[in-house]
Amino acid sequence: MEPLPVVWFVAIAVLWIGYLLLEGFDLGVGMHMVFSTRSERDRRVMLNTIGPVWDGNEVWLITAGAAMFAAFPAWYASLFSTLYVPLTITLVGLIVRAVGIEYRGKVHTERWRTLWTWMIGLGSLIVAFCIGAALALTSTGLPIDANGDRVGGPFVWLTVPAVLGGLAVVGFALLHSATFLGLKADGPVRERAGRFAARWAPLCIAPAAVWAIWVQVAHGGNVFAWTLIVFAVLAAAFGWRAARGRHEGRAFIGFAGFGLFGAAAIFAGMFPLLLPSTVDAAFDLTVWNAANGPYTLGVMTVVAAVSLPVILLYQAWSYWIFRKRVTPGMIPEVYIVLPAVLRAR
């Protein structure tokens, strides 16, 4: 039994978990900008909490997809072709959200700011829901045949597990971002985020808990996966208690731990499956029949061993540099800057 396919399954799981934990609070902040406040200053505080890091966090998504393509090309091909529609919608959401973040402050009118606030919020919601749906489907199954091709129409993926996974990531992003704002913001934003986490935590984490248990039941589970679920429950209880007591750092650690252990339990519960077939179990894609050749995996392992620590250190350094709270007093007044062409006139 070759060890490298298992190593790369674990590596891809780590990349997806890292994306959910880091991009999770970015997406949640985008959604909170729409419904948590109508104050322009508060929205700018929220946006500035993720301003230095949001684009770096998206790299985890690109890296996870690239690792799937290189290590398990059959998994990548079957999953991405079957989910062509939702992944295209995800791409649109990513583009709209990124443009909204960059363009929101370019014009000083209420109409302009409202438009791009909604684009940031809707883009974040779309990305969170579609990524959750895709991960839920790869852990519970899709209708694929012996060649890995989709059986059915373009919306055959729209099932109960897909909706459950989408709601799970949306709920986790909203809760995770609330605890993040409690750490990174001050003033009214901090207060509202604390109240949200204390009040809505059980509802936000319920879909993720159901998803994790669904995977264990569907695939028989194992002791390691069930142990991770126990840790996830304990972390969630710790986080909720801390949130209700307004211990912001502990609340963030608790709910981040829930996301970490919960997602790890899902990957551990589905191993060695990569993409189960709901048509016939004989068509399942596994770590063994979907892996690339030993030489390719070996080269990838060497490259990752050299480059990954550097990337992680750089990202950790960027978080450390921008670790201070964003307060309302840090937000400058809006001022108009005319383009050079207009000034010349």
Side-chain angles (χ1 to χ4, degrees):
M1 185 171 62
E2 289 289 335
L4 286 181
V6 179
V7 169
W8 275 99
F9 174 81
V10 174
I12 291 170
V14 170
L15 290 171
W16 277 114
I17 294 171
Y19 174 75
L20 292 174
L21 292 179
L22 296 177
E23 185 76 345
F25 61 72
D26 284 357
L27 298 174
V29 168
M31 289 183 273
H32 277 289
M33 285 180 63
V34 173
F35 70 86
S36 287
T37 181
R38 293 185 178 181
S39 166
E40 172 59 18
R41 185 172 292 273
D42 288 350
R43 284 173 172 166
R44 290 176 66 189
V45 168
M46 290 182 182
L47 197 56
N48 275 270
T49 61
I50 62 172
V53 297
W54 69 270
D55 47 355
N57 292 341
E58 287 188 350
V59 174
W60 287 75
L61 174 63
I62 299 170
T63 308
M68 290 171 63
F69 171 76
F72 303 101
W75 182 20
Y76 176 92
S78 294
L79 182 66
F80 278 58
S81 60
T82 304
L83 300 182
Y84 191 86
V85 171
L87 292 177
T88 301
I89 296 172
T90 303
L91 182 60
V92 173
L94 287 168
I95 293 171
V96 168
R97 173 174 171 267
V99 172
I101 291 174
E102 297 293 342
Y103 274 48
R104 188 179 183 276
K106 301 300 183 184
V107 177
H108 182 42
T109 66
E110 185 66 26
R111 189 174 183 179
W112 178 269
R113 290 194 299 265
T114 300
L115 168 65
W116 291 113
T117 297
W118 276 93
M119 291 299 100
I120 294 170
L122 290 176
S124 299
L125 175 64
I126 288 169
V127 172
F129 185 87
C130 290
I131 291 295
L135 291 177
L137 289 169
T138 198
S139 63
T140 58
L142 280 168
I144 57 174
D145 60 18
N147 296 320
D149 297 328
R150 183 187 69 222
V151 177
F155 291 95
V156 73
W157 57 271
L158 191 56
T159 60
V160 172
V163 175
L164 179 64
L167 293 177
V169 175
V170 169
F172 174 72
L174 287 171
L175 180 59
H176 190 41
S177 61
T179 58
F180 172 78
L181 289 171
L183 285 177
K184 285 291 294 178
D186 208 350
V189 172
R190 180 182 181 183
E191 291 301 315
R192 278 191 296 268
R195 290 195 299 268
F196 180 92
R199 183 176 183 181
W200 297 106
L203 182 62
C204 288
I205 65 176
V210 174
W211 174 15
I213 295 173
W214 185 318
V215 171
Q216 311 313 316
V217 174
H219 302 309
N222 55 71
V223 174
F224 180 60
W226 281 110
T227 302
L228 290 172
I229 288 181
V230 172
F231 284 143
V233 171
L234 293 175
F238 175 80
W240 191 29
R241 180 178 180 181
R244 295 174 69 184
R246 295 301 177 88
H247 301 294
E248 293 154 338
R250 297 177 188 175
F252 180 82
I253 292 172
F255 291 125
F258 169 78
L260 170 64
F261 290 123
I266 290 171
F267 280 102
M270 61 183 283
F271 181 84
L273 294 173
L274 298 176
L275 181 58
S277 172
T278 57
V279 176
D280 190 328
F283 305 152
D284 290 348
L285 295 180
T286 69
V287 168
W288 317 118
N289 64 20
N292 215 327
Y295 178 78
T296 301
L297 295 179
V299 172
M300 290 173 58
T301 303
V302 173
V303 173
V306 173
S307 61
L308 190 58
V310 177
I311 296 171
L312 292 176
L313 285 173
Y314 176 79
Q315 191 162 26
W317 176 80
S318 67
Y319 273 92
W320 176 255
I321 292 296
F322 296 103
R323 67 189 181 278
K324 293 184 178 180
R325 289 184 183 274
V326 180
T327 66
M330 294 179 178
I331 306 299
E333 296 296 330
V334 176
Y335 59 93
I336 306 299
V337 178
L338 292 176
V341 174
L342 295 180
R343 291 200 300 267
R345 294 179 182 178

